[in-house]
Amino acid sequence: MSKGREPVFQMTKREAIEPWKAWLIRLIAVALSLIVCAGVIIALTGLNPVEVYKGIFDGAVGTKRRAWMTIRDTLVLLCIAVGITPAFKMRFWNIGAEGQILIGGVTSAAMMIYLGNTLPPVILFPLMLAGSALAAMVWAIIPAFFKAYWNTNETLFTLMMNYVAMQVVTFGIIFWENPKGSNSVGTINSATKGGWLPKLFGLEYGWNLVIVLALTVAMFIYLRYSKQGYEIAVVGESGNTARYAGINVKKVILRTMAISGAVCGIAGFIIVSGASHTISTSTAGGRGFTAIIVSWMSKFNTFAMILVSFFLVFMQKGAGQIASQFNLNENAADVITGIILFFILGCEFFIDYKVRIRSAKQAGSEE
Amino acid sequence: MNENNAIELKNITKRFGQVVANDKVCLSLKKGEILSILGENGSGKTTLMNMISGIYYPDEGQILIHGKEVTIRSPKDSFDLGIGMIHQHFKLVDVLTAAENIILGLPGKEILDRKAVNDKINELTGKYGFDLDPDQKIYRMSVSQKQTVEIVKMLYRGVDILILDEPTAVLTPQEADRLFAVLRNMKKAGHSIIIITHKLNEVLSLSDRVAVLRKGQYIGTIETKDATEESLTEMMVGKKVSLNIERPDPVNPKERLNVKGLTCISREGVKTLSNASFTANSGEILGIAGVAGSGQRELLEAIAGLVPSAEGSISYYPPEGGEKELTSMTAAEIARIGVRLSFVPEDRLGMGLVGAMDMTDNMMLRSYRKGRPFFADRKAPKGLAERLIAELEIATPGTSVPVRKLSGGNVQKVLVGREISLAPAVMLVAYPVRGLDIHSSYTIYHLLNEQKKQGTAVVCVGEDLDVLMELCDRILVMCGGEISGIVDGRTATKEEIGKLMMKTGGTQG
């Protein structure tokens, strides 16, 4: 009878961990990730990693304009993350934010084109905001309805709705093509700036800031302190418990997705009216998916999402910079972001578990 | 080192985080004996056996099999040593036959000789007195038959040390007797058997020796012939426990619930409950007995408005007088019309409570609609949680700890406490003491009796007949989705109830 060796690593779940220890582990993870990234950079490009890091920093916040671009994109990503959070908290796998943003965006674009130069701003902007929210809300309720009444798979359903939304946008582009033959809408009302969100407190993206931060705070309160937020949490944890408690699960699914869709629609409005002033199939640009990472990494805490979305946009902006500065492929920054995310997500394991390596004494006694 | 020992454990220690599941346990199983391992839930019985069967690896200590020290790293290592474990949840493939399950995973020739396999199975079943058809599909089998397949599977593989984890939990008394007869035959044939249990009568009737664990500690091993229920309980709990459940006579019983011809059909079109009729009276505990899955769950859930009923009616007679029809109402509607109906479901953390939420949020489940609009009130639920912690002696670091981190007994106290706080007129309870230690179990019996004295109509689904017969005023017996009889809890015998549990196509009692 041959004797096997005992396992080298033994993992045990921690009972609890002090917050400072958890943060220390996260800090070590970030530091380690930067060291590994440096190694990768040297190995692949032979560049000085410190220079590359400087390039990233410079690209993201090096000048005032760049900093504002970073803030602008952070706000959009944050808005989407805040939007999908109630759905994910309900364990409704809404990967249709992409489509909901597009529908909200295309509604805003249509209003800019048809009403932008006629209605006074006091009426126009609330109308655009409400219209975009409403359109995306309807878009989001469709898969929720099928889920609630026939238990269809929401992941596939919302994903497919994204492609339908893209076709709707394509149709709009053909319809509003400007100039003819360009296959794009171009900048809408570039001369009159009709339907462009104006400056607030002298800040170009002031309205974006106010709207998104207001939504962030409101969503935090809604999820944590309202009765409806409580219902969402119960439905998310256990459908059986929800039925037991007399919660109307169908109603909660429909209502929550309506809210989720509406906020994503507002994100579409902010992109079109507050930033790009045009509409294309890439208006959402994959941010509906990135927002899922933001939401989960923040553990559904909308304030944590501010940090996480800033980090992701920061890295993305830095990528553009190092791509041109060092003649690197844009994907180089993706590699760096990937490594950093890997470490940040991976360190959660060490926060939840303690790992013990087989002691020398036991190893010795085996011989 | 003793060559007569099939298994010898020396100073086995296993920790999970801060929890010491087994603390320096020493234990031996002699060749050709039946050893009971007795202990309350959480005393480390299953953890210890899982280390023998290769599911866990001990932190410290040695395992000796037939006198030789071994390292068991996986279930395969354990098999190679001739050790087989029958878990509480069977590991069988439903769509395959008994014979196919038995040979699954075994090496063999390219061409399967089914006849040879069946012959060998029949030889084994004949030898030990099993009742098994090798060609029957698993999904057509009763729980007891599935268990037989598991045991034959082990024997077929040449296992000579068999470990059974709470084997009688899912059996009727008659089926349990048959299992014991088979185990005695196996012992005669020289097999060594460990049976994990917390039922004292089984220990006394079956085993040669009893090893007792308490809170991860090894307390001792005694000869069964020297043991009594009282002495074993004392070893198990660490102090003398009175094993009597009080049963006050019902005072002024009045009809609270009248169920007529209730029938439920599942989503798959299977009749899960057919034509059930009974009444539940105030100041009385109505027990429901039956093999697991005989329609008990559907009956309670249909009354509580969680599963729709296809036919029949449910009438509720409030203490204030009058009559309310609850047929095909949802749980929300029942609560809205002011029916004080409490329900402690079988699945505590999956239905009665939300495991990831703290006590305060779990208290809110029943009451969150009350109070100011839009914002949820957490003050009153927090107060209730604090009151329950004090009154029911719930062991928890505080009201903001997720309830799934509490022990089984404390989880049940949280759930029962909340349901009692609704001041129910009718209280439905399913398997209220499953998985609870003796002390917690008696607390729960006491709480049910308190409700009974206050005039609540208590309906209690149970699995331990001895307990039901001590606690309940009347016992309703279910079999195959039907009510096969209602007997008086004070006069009925175990045999009588056991027969009703197995009655097929029975008539209404």
Side-chain angles (χ1 to χ4, degrees):
Chain A
M1 175 76 225
S2 75
K3 277 195 286 179
R5 313 189 110 236
E6 72 172 286
V8 176
F9 294 108
Q10 290 195 352
M11 280 151 288
T12 45
K13 205 165 166 72
R14 284 181 206 266
E15 283 295 296
I17 186 165
E18 294 94 336
W20 70 266
K21 252 191 191 166
W23 283 107
L24 185 73
I25 291 175
R26 291 193 184 108
L27 211 67
I28 293 171
V30 172
L32 276 178
S33 68
L34 290 177
I35 294 169
V36 171
C37 284
V40 171
I41 291 166
I42 295 169
L44 292 182
T45 64
L47 293 166
N48 179 353
V50 178
E51 288 299 317
V52 175
Y53 290 155
K54 242 188 226 165
I56 291 175
F57 189 83
D58 196 36
V61 292
T63 66
K64 202 179 164 198
R65 205 187 69 84
R66 282 179 190 160
W68 270 110
M69 296 292 266
T70 303
I71 290 171
R72 183 193 77 182
D73 287 1
T74 300
L75 288 172
V76 170
L77 186 59
L78 174 62
C79 185
I80 303 165
V82 166
I84 60 172
T85 295
F88 278 96
K89 186 149 192 202
M90 195 176 65
R91 298 292 187 274
F92 183 103
W93 305 93
N94 174 22
I95 54 172
E98 206 69 4
Q100 291 145 27
I101 298 161
L102 283 177
I103 292 298
V106 84
T107 310
S108 285
M111 286 183 172
M112 280 165 84
I113 290 166
Y114 295 115
L115 310 169
N117 297 324
T118 48
L119 281 181
V122 207
I123 301 175
L124 177 67
F125 289 113
L127 197 66
M128 280 170 70
L129 186 128
S132 304
L134 197 69
M137 185 193 278
V138 171
W139 201 255
I141 284 179
I142 297 169
F145 180 81
F146 279 80
K147 170 78 179 178
Y149 285 88
W150 295 292
N151 198 26
T152 52
N153 182 314
E154 74 274 15
T155 316
L156 287 175
F157 207 124
T158 49
L159 183 68
M160 290 192 289
M161 294 285 285
N162 290 342
Y163 294 98
V164 182
M166 264 186 215
Q167 296 307 315
V168 172
V169 171
T170 309
F171 177 79
I173 291 171
I174 294 167
F175 212 65
W176 303 316
E177 205 175 41
N178 180 29
K180 282 273 171 244
S182 68
N183 205 18
S184 81
V185 180
T187 303
I188 301 166
N189 301 343
S190 54
T192 60
K193 299 204 172 173
W196 292 29
L197 266 179
K199 285 189 177 180
L200 184 73
F201 317 127
L203 300 174
E204 194 176 349
Y205 300 115
W207 277 109
N208 300 17
L209 195 69
V210 167
I211 294 171
V212 175
L213 289 186
L215 283 173
T216 306
V217 174
M219 188 59 80
F220 184 85
I221 293 170
Y222 178 74
L223 289 177
R224 187 153 298 188
Y225 297 109
S226 79
K227 292 179 182 179
Q228 298 188 357
Y230 178 73
E231 289 181 333
I232 291 172
V234 175
V235 171
E237 289 293 338
S238 159
N240 266 337
T241 309
R243 283 192 306 126
Y244 167 84
I247 294 172
N248 186 340
V249 177
K250 288 188 175 81
K251 192 172 112 189
V252 174
I253 291 178
L254 289 173
R255 188 180 66 206
T256 307
M257 270 310 279
I259 292 168
S260 184
V263 177
C264 289
I266 292 173
F269 158 74
I270 286 173
I271 296 171
V272 171
S273 170
S276 73
H277 310 124
T278 184
I279 182 81
S280 76
T281 51
S282 58
T283 289
R287 285 180 282 193
F289 300 116
T290 313
I292 298 174
I293 304 175
V294 176
S295 180
W296 277 93
M297 270 184 72
S298 315
K299 295 178 179 155
F300 307 140
N301 180 330
T302 56
F303 292 124
M305 287 174 206
I306 300 176
L307 277 179
V308 176
S309 41
F310 178 75
F311 167 73
L312 291 180
V313 172
F314 182 94
M315 289 307 293
Q316 194 192 341
K317 293 288 167 192
Q321 174 69 19
I322 59 167
S324 54
Q325 189 179 335
F326 300 103
N327 242 340
L328 291 178
N329 189 307
E330 285 235 14
N331 297 330
D334 284 348
V335 172
I336 296 173
T337 313
I339 293 171
I340 296 175
L341 278 181
F342 177 83
F343 274 84
I344 291 177
L345 295 176
C347 84
E348 296 295 319
F349 173 83
F350 292 95
I351 290 171
D352 288 341
Y353 290 89
K354 214 184 335 204
V355 177
R356 222 184 48 176
I357 299 170
R358 176 172 49 149
S359 68
K361 187 189 127 266
Q362 277 176 304
S365 71
E366 273 192 5
E367 308 312 317
Chain B
M1 207 173 285
N2 189 338
E3 288 291 331
N4 287 326
N5 284 344
I7 299 181
E8 197 171 342
L9 303 179
K10 284 184 181 168
N11 294 317
I12 295 284
T13 300
K14 178 76 188 172
R15 297 183 198 89
F16 296 103
Q18 311 288 323
V19 183
V20 184
N22 287 136
D23 186 11
K24 296 204 177 70
V25 174
C26 304
L27 193 78
S28 62
L29 169 69
K30 289 182 189 160
K31 280 180 190 164
E33 76 163 347
I34 299 180
L35 174 74
S36 293
I37 297 191
L38 185 67
E40 298 202 70
N41 286 86
S43 60
K45 303 174 300 238
T46 305
T47 307
L48 189 64
M49 291 305 114
N50 279 341
M51 282 187 279
I52 300 176
S53 62
I55 291 172
Y56 295 140
Y57 189 84
D59 293 339
E60 287 160 29
Q62 296 157 295
I63 301 174
L64 280 73
I65 304 291
H66 299 306
K68 262 187 240 151
E69 189 180 341
V70 293
T71 305
I72 304 172
R73 293 217 307 161
S74 68
K76 193 181 166 298
D77 287 355
S78 176
F79 255 134
D80 293 343
L81 292 164
I83 303 167
M85 180 155 171
I86 316 266
H87 296 268
Q88 282 180 40
H89 302 281
F90 303 138
K91 296 166 186 338
L92 298 169
V93 182
D94 264 356
V95 293
L96 299 184
T97 66
E100 285 164 343
N101 267 288
I102 287 167
I103 57 164
L104 197 66
L106 286 180
K109 296 203 187 81
E110 280 75 15
I111 294 163
L112 182 62
D113 186 353
R114 281 177 185 271
K115 194 170 169 299
V117 171
N118 282 5
D119 286 347
K120 191 172 167 196
I121 291 171
N122 287 333
E123 189 197 316
L124 282 173
T125 52
K127 185 173 164 195
Y128 297 110
F130 292 106
D131 179 18
L132 180 71
D133 171 10
D135 292 322
Q136 197 177 4
K137 303 254 190 205
I138 300 297
Y139 65 86
R140 293 192 174 279
M141 289 186 175
S142 70
V143 181
S144 138
Q145 285 172 307
K146 286 179 194 173
Q147 191 181 50
T148 306
V149 177
E150 285 277 18
I151 298 173
V152 174
K153 185 164 92 183
M154 296 302 162
L155 294 173
Y156 190 94
R157 290 164 192 226
V159 158
D160 70 342
I161 301 171
L162 194 68
I163 304 169
L164 299 109
D165 191 359
E166 306 227 2
T168 58
V170 288
L171 304 180
T172 64
Q174 283 82 353
E175 286 169 336
D177 285 343
R178 262 206 312 269
L179 172 69
F180 290 169
V182 168
L183 293 180
R184 287 194 193 98
N185 287 340
M186 287 171 57
K187 176 182 129 183
K188 266 182 222 146
H191 291 276
S192 317
I193 297 167
I194 293 180
I195 147 167
I196 304 177
T197 182
H198 57 239
K199 291 186 185 164
L200 298 168
N201 53 356
E202 291 176 0
V203 171
L204 292 171
S205 72
L206 181 68
S207 58
D208 300 307
R209 292 191 307 147
V210 197
V212 182
L213 295 182
R214 186 202 311 150
K215 291 180 181 154
Q217 308 270 352
Y218 171 68
I219 302 301
T221 305
I222 55 170
E223 299 280 330
T224 308
K225 60 180 187 321
D226 303 332
T228 61
E229 291 210 2
E230 284 73 24
S231 70
L232 288 176
T233 312
E234 205 178 325
M235 283 177 83
M236 201 157 89
V237 185
K239 58 185 178 211
K240 275 202 163 31
V241 176
S242 148
L243 292 177
N244 296 317
I245 305 172
E246 63 166 335
R247 176 161 50 191
D249 284 324
V251 179
N252 190 17
K254 287 216 176 59
E255 201 175 36
R256 281 282 169 268
L257 206 59
N258 190 341
V259 175
K260 280 203 195 91
L262 196 64
T263 300
C264 290
I265 291 167
S266 74
R267 243 174 228 252
E268 291 78 32
V270 180
K271 218 180 227 188
T272 47
L273 183 68
S274 64
N275 201 23
S277 302
F278 69 96
T279 57
N281 304 325
S282 66
E284 183 190 82
I285 299 184
L286 173 69
I288 298 184
V291 181
S294 301
Q296 302 97 315
R297 200 187 72 225
E298 286 77 10
L299 181 61
L300 293 199
E301 290 190 359
I303 297 171
L306 296 177
V307 296
S309 53
E311 278 170 49
S313 68
I314 305 163
S315 306
Y316 167 72
Y317 302 95
E320 308 81 64
E323 181 185 344
K324 279 176 181 168
E325 177 87 11
L326 305 186
T327 321
S328 41
M329 272 194 171
T330 64
E333 287 162 340
I334 292 174
R336 203 175 306 131
I337 61 166
V339 174
R340 286 180 289 130
L341 176 76
S342 280
F343 180 28
V344 177
E346 179 181 350
D347 189 357
R348 290 164 207 158
L349 290 175
M351 181 177 262
L353 300 167
V354 180
M357 288 183 170
D358 64 17
M359 246 185 101
T360 305
D361 276 17
N362 271 298
M363 292 300 124
M364 283 167 66
L365 266 184
R366 288 288 206 175
S367 61
Y368 77 95
R369 288 182 192 81
K370 287 185 205 145
R372 55 195 173 156
F374 190 74
F375 287 105
D377 170 28
R378 278 185 169 78
K379 256 202 206 117
K382 188 160 194 280
L384 175 61
E386 279 162 357
R387 213 185 75 211
L388 290 183
I389 290 173
E391 279 176 13
L392 304 183
E393 294 166 354
I394 297 171
T396 169
T399 52
S400 56
V401 174
V403 290
R404 74 171 133 76
K405 294 212 168 171
L406 306 187
S407 73
N410 287 306
V411 167
Q412 183 68 322
K413 281 187 204 168
V414 171
L415 177 53
V416 171
R418 184 191 69 205
E419 291 304 300
I420 287 175
S421 75
L422 301 172
V426 176
M427 182 156 176
L428 311 174
V429 230
Y431 305 108
V433 300
R434 179 181 285 174
L436 267 54
D437 60 34
I438 292 187
H439 190 71
S440 307
S441 299
Y442 278 79
T443 309
I444 300 292
Y445 300 143
H446 178 71
L447 288 173
L448 294 182
N449 267 324
E450 284 295 304
Q451 286 303 301
K452 170 182 169 178
K453 283 184 211 159
Q454 284 173 23
T456 306
V458 180
V459 180
C460 172
V461 176
E463 50 197 340
D464 190 335
L465 280 188
D466 296 307
V467 168
L468 284 180
M469 285 162 57
E470 275 185 72
L471 178 71
C472 303
D473 300 296
R474 289 184 301 147
I475 300 174
L476 183 160
V477 189
M478 298 194 71
C479 173
E482 290 181 31
I483 295 178
S484 51
I486 299 179
V487 297
D488 188 320
R490 286 176 176 75
T491 57
T493 63
K494 211 168 167 181
E495 286 64 40
E496 195 184 334
I497 296 173
K499 267 183 202 150
L500 288 170
M501 280 165 76
M502 290 194 294
K503 195 170 183 178
T504 42
T507 50
Q508 291 299 312

